[in-house]
Amino acid sequence: MSKMPIVQALKNYIENEKAPFSMPGGKLGRGFNEELKEILIKGDITEIEGLDNLHNPQGIIKEAQELLSLYYKSWKSYFLVNGSSSGNLTMIFSALREGDKVLVERQCHKSIFNGIILRKLRPVYAESFYSEENNMSLGCELNTIVKILDEHKDIKAVILTYPNYYGVCCNLKGIIEECRKRRVKVLIDGAHAAHFGASGRLPENPVKLGADMVVMSAHKTLPSLTQGAYLHINDRDLIQEAERYLYMFLTTSPSYPIMASLDYARGFIMEKGERVYDMLLNLIEKYKKLINELGIVKCIDEKDLFNSEFSFDNSRLILHLTDVGTSGYKLLEYLFNKGIQCEMADDRNVVLITSPFNDEKDFQNLYIALKQCTRKDITGKNIKVPGHTIPKLAIPPYEALNSSLEWCSIEKALNKISGDNIVPYPPGIPLIMMGEVIDKEIIDKLNFYIDNEVTVLGVASRKIRVIS
């Protein structure tokens, strides 16, 4: 039999199952019942008689999308089989025109910035509030958004992430109210918000808060196959234009297994959401207390944000290291070797994404691993993390896209203009955008990520592409 490296790697991973505290929300298939598992394998078919067409839904897909809209309280909702990235592109192209000015949270996902480049927009960046205590960005403050809107009265839309990768939510209700006064559209990358509103102990979902368009990655927190996502529209005037672009960005060979899992995820959250999330949150609270008693890490809570404007997704578990000289990257590695698969790390934190399909055994394994952890296990390089300011924009990113490029070593790139979006992954947030000036802070950050073995898209052998 010929060599099949991906098949073998997946086989090995499944056989050595780790406690799953990372995406997707189905947690290694635990979220799917046996009937659905069979459907997902045997249902890999195309648009045949009786199974409707995602590009012109008139039957079962239309009915399923109407049920989705009913649950999330949108004017209209859609299944996305290309992931949230296709929804983000659809939002940007349908709500904005070439040359429009748009206010963008700097901590947005790279797919948002790709859409801004392709649509040839003029971005005005809003910096996120950075918590020195927790070494994490919390999101955009309301007064930051208002100030920019007052300074740039020609802004057509605001694009925000809700929540961010740490599960922190901005004051979206207040931001929407301010944007309504100015007739500015609010577009939300809610990739991690598909479960919001399922319980009163979770943040409200951004659709009910009144955002004009919202994209959600069902697969991140709900039992859906990877690439399964939702697009919700609250502004009826955007529906026709949104459908026009949606069917351009969606594949013409949509996956019925992904659509079936999206339908299943909606049914699950609608029927069982409140009960199962309350059970999960009770479990998390129990183990947060036990973990905090160990002293080696602190579990971040809403009260730890030190800013009442922000709220927190209580289903997310953030392990924060308070001891100088210890490393979040080392803790991530340690937990992996102990059979715990986490989502991501920075130098001071490890992020774990939970879902109702994490059972108590998963939390017990996490607790035992942390109980056995010594300072020596997680000692890392004592490097001061570089700052968090937005680089200077030299030329619009869409112009940089068509510029001539050359490879340059990171150390010699000072004051040159970046020819790529350079993105640590995860979380997929650009460190610098094409068209921006590379300063010493960027160079320090790149060296920091590389030295800590973080994957950085746009970097090869300590070289990056700059405009020649």
Side-chain angles (χ1 to χ4, degrees), residues 338-358:
K338 287 288 186 178
I340 313 292
Q341 176 67 67
C342 303
E343 177 62 25
M344 64 161 279
D346 60 33
D347 64 305
R348 307 301 298 162
N349 303 289
V350 175
V351 178
L352 292 81
I353 297 179
T354 73
S355 88
F357 308 109
N358 284 114

Side-chain angles (χ1 to χ4, degrees), residues 117-175:
I117 293 167
L118 294 172
R119 195 52 165 157
K120 296 184 177 180
L121 301 177
R122 295 180 294 144
V124 178
Y125 297 121
E127 185 58 278
S128 294
F129 177 82
Y130 185 76
S131 168
E132 295 286 349
E133 295 90 349
N134 298 314
N135 191 67
M136 65 173 69
S137 292
L138 302 186
C140 288
E141 293 181 292
L142 176 60
N143 59 8
T144 298
I145 300 296
V146 170
K147 182 180 179 182
I148 294 173
L149 290 174
D150 288 343
E151 290 175 353
H152 300 267
K153 298 187 184 301
D154 53 345
I155 282 175
K156 303 296 185 184
V158 171
I159 305 177
L160 301 170
T161 304
Y162 178 92
N164 67 13
Y165 229 104
Y166 296 98
V168 181
C169 305
C170 63
N171 179 9
L172 183 56
K173 183 179 179 181
I175 292 171

Side-chain angles (χ1 to χ4, degrees), residues 405-441:
L405 307 178
E406 63 183 12
W407 286 100
C408 176
S409 69
I410 292 172
E411 300 305 330
K412 293 182 178 180
L414 184 64
N415 295 326
K416 294 184 182 294
I417 300 172
S418 179
D420 275 330
N421 296 340
I422 300 174
V423 187
Y425 212 94
I429 296 167
L431 182 61
I432 186 167
M433 293 278 294
M434 58 179 72
E436 293 179 339
V437 178
I438 302 164
D439 56 23
K440 186 178 184 303
E441 181 180 302

Side-chain angles (χ1 to χ4, degrees), residues 32-315:
F32 304 135
N33 58 36
E34 293 305 315
E35 179 184 24
L36 183 65
K37 288 179 182 179
E38 183 176 8
I39 291 171
L40 295 182
I41 296 298
K42 295 183 179 180
D44 189 15
I45 52 182
T46 187
E47 298 97 332
I48 60 175
E49 188 66 30
L51 288 185
D52 210 355
N53 187 318
L54 183 60
H55 285 255
N56 184 30
Q58 300 296 321
I60 58 169
I61 298 176
K62 180 175 182 287
E63 181 183 1
Q65 291 186 152
E66 287 172 349
L67 288 168
L68 178 67
S69 178
L70 177 67
Y71 175 72
Y72 283 103
K73 303 293 189 289
S74 68
W75 278 111
K76 202 163 184 181
S77 294
Y78 306 83
F79 289 160
L80 305 174
V81 293
N82 301 47
S84 281
S85 295
S86 63
N88 285 337
L89 291 173
T90 299
M91 279 201 308
I92 289 168
F93 272 75
S94 55
L96 294 155
R97 297 289 175 267
E98 185 174 315
D100 278 352
K101 187 180 287 187
V102 58
L103 192 163
V104 190
E105 180 182 358
R106 184 63 185 201
Q107 299 296 311
C108 281
H109 188 262
K110 68 171 187 171
S111 59
I112 292 290
F113 296 107
N114 288 340
I116 288 169
I117 293 167
L118 294 172
R119 195 52 165 157
K120 296 184 177 180
L121 301 177
R122 295 180 294 144
V124 178
Y125 297 121
E127 185 58 278
S128 294
F129 177 82
Y130 185 76
S131 168
E132 295 286 349
E133 295 90 349
N134 298 314
N135 191 67
M136 65 173 69
S137 292
L138 302 186
C140 288
E141 293 181 292
L142 176 60
N143 59 8
T144 298
I145 300 296
V146 170
K147 182 180 179 182
I148 294 173
L149 290 174
D150 288 343
E151 290 175 353
H152 300 267
K153 298 187 184 301
D154 53 345
I155 282 175
K156 303 296 185 184
V158 171
I159 305 177
L160 301 170
T161 304
Y162 178 92
N164 67 13
Y165 229 104
Y166 296 98
V168 181
C169 305
C170 63
N171 179 9
L172 183 56
K173 183 179 179 181
I175 292 171
I176 290 172
E177 289 174 356
E178 291 295 332
C179 288
R180 287 284 172 272
K181 296 175 186 176
R182 298 164 174 80
R183 296 186 179 180
V184 172
K185 302 290 185 190
V186 179
L187 313 181
I188 298 298
D189 179 353
H192 292 260
H195 61 301
F196 278 15
S199 163
R201 294 156 68 185
L202 294 169
E204 186 55 88
N205 91 65
V207 183
K208 287 185 69 175
L209 289 176
D212 294 288
M213 301 181 79
V214 178
V215 173
M216 295 174 174
S217 288
H219 72 91
K220 284 181 167 60
T221 56
L222 300 182
S224 166
L225 292 178
T226 297
Q227 289 185 217
Y230 303 134
L231 169 64
H232 307 289
I233 301 178
N234 263 338
D235 185 339
R236 284 176 291 181
D237 293 337
L238 290 174
I239 290 175
Q240 184 174 343
E241 199 73 355
E243 290 184 351
R244 177 187 181 195
Y245 285 106
L246 175 64
Y247 299 132
M248 289 182 184
F249 293 124
L250 279 176
T251 174
T252 55
S253 300
S255 164
Y256 273 85
I258 292 178
M259 282 191 283
S261 72
L262 285 168
D263 195 24
Y264 178 83
R266 186 275 314 158
F268 171 82
I269 197 76
M270 179 180 278
E271 294 172 15
K272 302 178 181 179
E274 184 173 11
R275 178 176 62 85
V276 298
Y277 269 97
D278 280 339
M279 290 172 60
L280 172 66
L281 294 172
N282 289 340
L283 200 56
I284 291 172
E285 285 304 312
K286 172 184 174 180
Y287 280 91
K288 272 186 176 181
K289 291 176 182 176
L290 291 172
I291 291 169
N292 284 341
E293 289 172 0
L294 296 175
I296 195 162
V297 297
K298 175 182 175 58
C299 297
I300 298 294
D301 233 326
E302 188 166 310
K303 65 179 183 299
D304 299 311
L305 302 180
F306 302 103
N307 189 320
S308 60
E309 182 171 329
F310 298 96
S311 55
F312 185 64
D313 175 6
N314 291 308
S315 73

Side-chain angles (χ1 to χ4, degrees), residues 381-399:
K381 298 176 182 177
N382 193 9
I383 304 173
K384 180 175 173 56
V385 184
H388 294 263
T389 57
I390 298 173
K392 179 182 176 182
L393 181 66
I395 59 174
Y398 62 85
E399 288 185 13

